[in-house]
Amino acid sequence: MASQDTTSALHGAVLGLGMIGRHHARLLQAGPRVRFAGAVDPGGDRHGVLRDPATLHASIPALLAAGPVDFAIVAVPTEEHLPAVRELAAAGVHVLVEKPLAATEEDALALIAAVEDAGLHGAVGHVERCNPALLELRRRLNAGEIGRPFLIATERIGPFPDRIRDVGVVKDLATHDLDLVRWLGGAAVAQVAAQTQHRMGRAHEDLLLATGRLGNDVAFNCVVDWLSPTKVRRTRVLGEGGMFVADTLNADLTFYANAATPIEWDTAQQARGVSEGDMTRFALSRREPLLVEHEAFCDLLLGVDGDGVAVTLQEGLETVRTAEAVLRSARTGTTQSLTPA
Ligand SMILES: NC(=O)c1ccc[n+]([C@@H]2O[C@H](COP(=O)([O-])OP(=O)(O)OC[C@H]3O[C@@H](n4cnc5c(N)ncnc54)[C@H](O)[C@@H]3O)[C@@H](O)[C@H]2O)c1
């Protein structure tokens, strides 16, 4: 595909004006790099986010008939990602698809084929990667600040958002964690063992414990639920030199160093464990993650060298495959091995 003129604004649309789509619509209407091409939601503009009611359309053909559309953000329920992307790809529209890429591996493969066969760009909205705390954590990991990492542990717990009907906590929420562990750890998931629980009486699971290792032997552990009476979003990376803790609710990053001073206490010396060193809380510039995601996608479309945080469709597929292995593991009580795609 030829790269586009970087001086002209891209025409961007959004499909679905629900919990996340409304934020996409807000940013598309405000951004200097994008001309808002309109929104599609047969349910209307329930959150009142559109500045001009004439930009609301009931279908993709109606949106396309109203003017040029270079790209669309697909923020419809997960099971509807594939049909929506097929329709957009057939019209030559690039897509930024909300996470998870699709409800099943089969759908994800078909979605990628639709985009690639049409010669279009696609990316996945794993927006946690754009959180300032995690961007900074990854930058410091890659700079070798804690040496070799050996454990990534995530915790994503809180009350149930009573709107998700089509998938359970693994595909809806844990896909954030399964994407993060491979992105931070630098290798794909090689093995995973998981347990789930169904406490709310829904068809899908509402609690997950997943333990595994990446292809480079970094271990990971994810605790995810819709049952806890308080919201926690925490990612911990433990390495040779200490531990990073990212709190993505508040976009905070803290570093706990192993003490560099020799320990003169016999018992502790014999144990050869780590001891507490300095603690540093980094001052971060806190940009809205969804805006960072939009910018990375626009960079991709315009062929501009950005910070490269756009998540590829293949990475999105890998996360869906890993989520399916997690569910298989929980169902069968077996450890699942994943072969690289
Ligand atoms: N990145 C994140 O952090 C994040 C957060 C929430 C949701 N999501 C993802 O975004 C997607 C949407 O989730 P949500 O929570 O906003 O759902 P939601 O139910 O709040 O909103 C979905 C909206 O899509 C509309 N819709 C349904 N079918 C449509 C179609 N064919 N065309 C256009 N509009 C249609 C509905 O009327 C509704 O307004 C899901 O895939 C979800 O996993 C991602």
Side-chain angles (χ1 to χ4, degrees), residues 89-104:
V93 176
H94 304 289
V95 287
L96 171 57
V97 186
E98 260 304 339
K99 54 68 26 199
L101 178 59
T104 62

Side-chain angles (χ1 to χ4, degrees), residues 14-22 24 40-44 46-47 57-60 74-81 84 98-100 125-128 163-164 166-167 171-172 175-176 290 293:
V14 62
L15 260 63
L17 289 172
M19 285 312 290
I20 194 78
R22 63 183 168 152
H24 286 298
V40 178
D41 196 320
R46 273 176 288 219
H47 298 283
H57 306 282
S59 67
I60 294 174
V74 178
V76 299
T78 304
E79 294 205 325
E80 294 182 42
H81 288 186
E98 260 304 339
K99 54 68 26 199
H126 280 290
V127 71
E128 279 284 85
R163 64 176 200 281
I164 294 142
D166 53 348
V167 290
K171 286 190 176 164
D172 186 76
T175 41
H176 282 301
L290 217 51
E293 178 180 287

Side-chain angles (χ1 to χ4, degrees), residues 161-204:
D162 193 15
R163 64 176 200 281
I164 294 142
R165 309 260 168 251
D166 53 348
V167 290
V169 81
V170 171
K171 286 190 176 164
D172 186 76
L173 217 52
T175 41
H176 282 301
D177 306 88
L178 299 173
D179 176 65
L180 284 183
V181 293
R182 66 173 297 292
W183 181 64
L184 291 170
V189 172
Q191 211 170 61
V192 67
Q195 292 182 48
T196 55
Q197 293 203 11
H198 296 67
R199 291 273 157 193
M200 287 189 290
R202 297 171 71 247
H204 299 289

Side-chain angles (χ1 to χ4, degrees), residues 182 187-189 313-323 338 341:
R182 66 173 297 292
V189 172
L313 295 178
Q314 287 301 330
E315 289 176 301
L317 166 65
E318 210 175 282
T319 298
V320 173
R321 287 182 67 225
T322 309
L338 286 104

Side-chain angles (χ1 to χ4, degrees), residues 171-242:
K171 286 190 176 164
D172 186 76
L173 217 52
T175 41
H176 282 301
D177 306 88
L178 299 173
D179 176 65
L180 284 183
V181 293
R182 66 173 297 292
W183 181 64
L184 291 170
V189 172
Q191 211 170 61
V192 67
Q195 292 182 48
T196 55
Q197 293 203 11
H198 296 67
R199 291 273 157 193
M200 287 189 290
R202 297 171 71 247
H204 299 289
E205 76 291 340
D206 39 44
L207 180 146
L208 166 73
L209 304 179
T211 301
R213 73 177 169 74
L214 306 179
N216 57 4
D217 272 346
V218 173
F220 69 87
N221 184 57
C222 304
V223 179
V224 186
D225 77 46
W226 276 327
L227 300 169
S228 299
T230 188
K231 200 167 169 179
V232 176
R233 301 284 185 263
R234 206 163 79 116
T235 301
R236 203 159 59 82
V237 182
L238 193 58
E240 292 163 332

